[in-house]
């Protein structure tokens, strides 16, 4: 064989090998993409529930807040977030129809597609109320259930929202067991109250009780397993316990969040992953008691009761925070500045005792 032919043969072999490698890499990339979870989130905030109902203060801001934490820690891309503020019924159905089309188009490309739907506003025992218009629980549930996603989670923060779970015979169930394989499929509902209770807002926390504690839990306060991942059951149990505890002595009385899970598979649905946060604040083992964390706008972003002897990791954004700790026998405060990418562990030595404000 001539040298020229040898060189040409070698070049051809290299080209074929390169093509095979590229083809293999493409196939590997496609398989990797199909192993990824694609998550969509839709939130509806409606302060107005008709002329005969009091104007809510925090339904819209709660919808914004839930989307914010899902974007930061819940793996939802900005392009896959839909916020509706004070929509009418026509706008609601138009936008959820567009979302359904996007989900159907993306489903073949991913191993699992999930939808988280959140509503905050007025409702009664049969309808959610959008201004002077209304949507029945039956229609709302059929609409959400009709979306072709592997996992559909509906969160309703409104009065008598527990009635939503009765439409198709939902029953109260024990939380399903969690394991290391998170592969659940189906439909789940979280509501802020039972079928005959009011859902309450608080001017002190500038939020509804349920959404405030749900977000606190999703930022890490609910991480009982301490694996950095907040599952649906962990988030719900934390929100249930704290909402019930804080509403026991209100004028409207105790508020009992409710859940109905119609899912199959292994493990649980991971709502958020604290390790995705731009900043991780760790509360050390020696810290215990009530914890209140305010941002530089004095907005309460996380609230929890911390037991001694266990670290708790919280996912936050960068910025300055005021941390108040109330153990037995005093009130202590610390101001900290957290920077992008930082993992900061807070210890008792960084707190200073502060004065107590006495009120009538």
């Amino acid at each position: 064989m001539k040298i020229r032919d040898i060189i040409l043969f070698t070049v051809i072999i290299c080209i074929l090998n390169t093509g095979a490698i590229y083809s293999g890499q493409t196939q590997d990339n496609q398989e990797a993409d199909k192993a990824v979870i694609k998550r969509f989130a839709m939130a509806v905030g409606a302060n107005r529930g008709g002329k005969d109902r009091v104007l809510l203060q925090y339904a819209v801001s709660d919808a914004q807040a839930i989307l914010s934490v899902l974007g930061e820690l819940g793996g939802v891309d900005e392009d896959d977030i839909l916020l509706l503020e004070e929509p009418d019924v026509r706008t609601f159905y138009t936008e959820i129809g567009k979302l359904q089309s996007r989900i159907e188009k993306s489903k073949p490309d991913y191993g699992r597609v999930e939808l988280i739907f959140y509503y905050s506003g007025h409702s009664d025992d049969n309808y959610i109320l959008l201004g002077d218009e209304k949507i029945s629980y039956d229609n709302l549930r059929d609409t959400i259930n009709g979306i072709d996603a592997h996992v559909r989670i509906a969160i309703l923060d409104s009065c008598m929202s527990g009635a939503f779970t009765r439409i198709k015979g939902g029953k109260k169930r024990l939380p399903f067991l969690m394991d290391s394989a998170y592969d659940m499929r189906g439909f789940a509902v979280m509501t802020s109250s039972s079928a005959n209770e009011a859902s309450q807002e608080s001017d002190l926390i500038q939020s509804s009780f349920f959404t405030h504690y749900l977000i606190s839990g999703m930022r890490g306060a609910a991480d009982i397993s301490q694996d950095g991942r907040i599952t649906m059951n962990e988030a719900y149990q934390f929100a249930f316990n704290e909402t019930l505890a804080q509403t026991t002595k209100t004028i409207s009385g105790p508020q009992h969040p409710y859940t109905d899970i119609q899912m199959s598979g292994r493990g649980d649905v991971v709502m958020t992953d604290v390790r995705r946060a731009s900043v991780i604040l760790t509360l050390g083992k020696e810290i215990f008691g009530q914890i209140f964390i305010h941002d530089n706008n004095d907005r309460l972003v996380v609230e929890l009761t911390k037991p001694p002897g266990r670290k708790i990791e919280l996912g936050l954004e960068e910025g300055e925070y005021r941390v108040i700790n109330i153990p037995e026998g005093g009130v202590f405060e610390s101001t900290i500045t957290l920077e992008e990418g930082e993992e900061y562990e807070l210890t008792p030595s960084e707190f200073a005792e502060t004065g107590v404000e006495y009120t009538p």
Side-chain angles (χ1 to χ4, degrees):
M1 184 180 289
K2 296 180 180 180
I3 294 178
R4 183 185 63 183
D5 295 333
I6 294 174
I7 294 174
L8 180 61
F9 179 76
T10 304
V11 170
I12 292 172
I13 293 299
C14 288
I15 292 173
L16 290 175
N17 286 339
T18 301
I21 293 170
Y22 179 78
S23 176
Q25 289 175 339
T26 302
Q27 185 176 355
D28 290 343
N29 290 340
Q30 290 173 343
E31 291 177 357
D33 287 343
K34 289 193 174 184
V36 173
I37 295 174
K38 180 71 167 178
R39 176 172 281 181
F40 296 85
M42 175 179 180
V44 179
N47 287 322
R48 296 183 296 106
K51 60 183 179 180
D52 297 328
R53 294 181 181 268
V54 65
L55 183 70
L56 298 175
Q57 299 299 311
Y58 308 113
V60 171
S61 58
D62 280 349
Q64 294 168 342
I66 204 83
L67 289 180
S68 178
V69 74
L70 286 172
E72 292 173 45
L73 309 178
V76 185
D77 294 334
E78 185 177 353
D79 292 340
D80 300 324
I81 289 175
L82 175 60
L83 171 65
L84 299 183
E85 300 181 11
E86 307 288 0
D88 56 22
V89 170
R90 181 178 179 180
T91 300
F92 172 83
Y93 280 116
T94 298
E95 294 301 322
I96 203 168
K98 293 178 182 178
L99 182 62
Q100 180 173 354
S101 297
R102 291 192 59 203
I103 290 174
E104 289 175 353
K105 290 178 181 178
S106 66
K107 192 175 180 182
D109 298 327
Y110 295 92
R112 188 160 85 236
V113 176
E114 300 180 351
L115 169 67
I116 299 177
F117 173 86
Y118 171 89
Y119 171 77
S120 180
H122 279 290
S123 65
D124 58 25
D125 55 353
N126 292 303
Y127 302 92
I128 65 168
L129 307 177
L130 302 177
D132 294 320
E133 300 179 306
K134 56 189 179 182
I135 297 173
S136 72
Y137 286 140
D138 203 357
N139 287 339
L140 178 62
R141 182 161 186 150
D142 286 346
T143 298
I144 298 172
N145 232 348
I147 292 177
D148 190 21
H150 297 103
V151 172
R152 299 170 303 282
I153 299 172
I155 303 170
L156 274 65
D157 189 349
S158 57
C159 294
M160 303 181 186
S161 51
F164 181 79
T165 65
R166 298 186 318 195
I167 300 301
K168 294 189 177 176
K171 298 179 181 179
K172 190 171 185 178
R173 302 180 175 189
L174 292 174
F176 48 77
L177 296 176
M178 294 177 288
D179 61 27
S180 59
Y182 294 88
D183 186 23
M184 297 298 294
R185 308 291 171 107
F187 187 43
V189 178
M190 276 190 256
T191 67
S192 60
S193 60
S194 65
N196 57 356
E197 292 177 341
S199 293
Q200 304 165 56
E201 291 186 330
S202 168
D203 288 331
L204 182 64
I205 60 178
Q206 296 185 340
S207 173
S208 78
F209 286 102
F210 175 75
T211 294
H212 171 66
Y213 290 113
L214 181 63
I215 290 175
S216 291
M218 290 166 65
R219 287 199 175 276
D223 188 15
I224 299 299
S225 62
Q226 294 190 278
D227 63 354
R229 294 177 291 190
I230 313 303
T231 66
M232 181 171 58
N233 271 299
E234 286 178 320
Y236 168 75
Q237 292 295 340
F238 181 86
F240 176 93
N241 293 336
E242 295 297 326
T243 299
L244 179 59
Q246 297 302 321
T247 56
T248 300
K249 296 182 179 180
T250 62
I251 294 175
S252 296
Q255 179 180 327
H256 299 76
Y258 199 78
T259 186
D260 176 30
I261 299 168
Q262 305 288 339
M263 286 194 172
S264 61
R266 302 184 304 275
D268 200 342
V269 176
V270 176
M271 297 293 289
T272 53
D273 190 332
V274 174
R275 295 165 296 184
R276 296 176 61 95
S278 59
V279 176
I280 296 177
L281 173 63
T282 300
L283 304 178
K285 292 182 178 181
E286 298 83 5
I287 296 174
F288 65 94
Q290 290 180 285
I291 303 291
F292 303 89
I293 302 178
H294 298 256
D295 64 15
N296 57 3
N297 294 316
D298 206 32
R299 182 174 60 94
L300 182 61
V301 293
V302 176
E303 177 183 349
L304 70 148
T305 301
K306 183 185 177 301
R310 180 164 67 90
K311 289 184 178 182
I312 291 182
E313 293 183 344
L314 302 171
L316 302 172
E317 295 181 290
E318 65 175 336
E320 186 175 284
Y321 292 89
R322 184 166 59 96
V323 184
I324 297 173
N325 178 210
I326 308 178
E328 294 180 4
V331 178
F332 300 85
E333 185 172 328
S334 176
T335 299
I336 56 176
T337 300
L338 304 178
E339 298 180 356
E340 180 81 23
E342 185 175 13
E343 295 187 13
Y344 190 103
E345 181 166 343
L346 191 61
T347 61
S349 62
E350 296 175 75
F351 285 89
E353 189 165 9
T354 185
V356 178
E357 180 180 354
Y358 292 94
T359 59

